[in-house]
Amino acid sequence: MTAGEPATCVFAPGSVRLHLNLQTTPTSAVNRWTGTVSMMDPVPGGVRLFAAEHPEIAVDCPSTTALTLGIRPGVQLAFSIDADDVSVRRSR
């Protein structure tokens, strides 16, 4: 790929880490964002979360984590993902 070429970033929904606020997000995480949980769908072993601000991004969360963090629609979360878990692909 060359600079300025259209691309898409891809990662597994289960590789995203969840935090209750941005201050607890590791500062070493280059890829981090915040969002308000808008929808939750059941998946094996947990739930798939979608944020109102980024509806195209799916994040999988184990059931135990969802319960511990009190995750439900309307909760604001901080998300982070390690750069090693992201691949960049050419957009078509």
Side-chain angles (χ1 to χ4, degrees), residues 1 3 7 10 19 27 37 40 44-45 47 49 55 63-64 66-67 71 73 80:
M1 295 192 56
V10 181
H19 312 274
T27 55
V37 177
M40 299 171 66
V47 292
L49 308 173
S63 299
T64 54
L67 287 170
I71 295 173
S80 66

Side-chain angles (χ1 to χ4, degrees), residues 16-77:
V16 177
R17 306 295 179 265
L18 303 173
H19 312 274
L20 287 178
N21 60 53
L22 194 55
Q23 286 72 34
T24 62
T25 307
T27 55
S28 61
V30 176
N31 305 304
R32 55 187 183 156
W33 65 97
T34 59
T36 306
V37 177
S38 61
M39 190 168 55
M40 299 171 66
D41 290 334
V43 294
V47 292
R48 180 163 287 171
L49 308 173
F50 296 89
E53 298 82 356
H54 308 282
E56 68 284 357
I57 299 176
V59 175
D60 287 354
C61 173
S63 299
T64 54
T65 300
L67 287 170
T68 300
L69 296 180
I71 295 173
R72 64 189 181 290
V75 169
Q76 176 111 20
L77 294 174

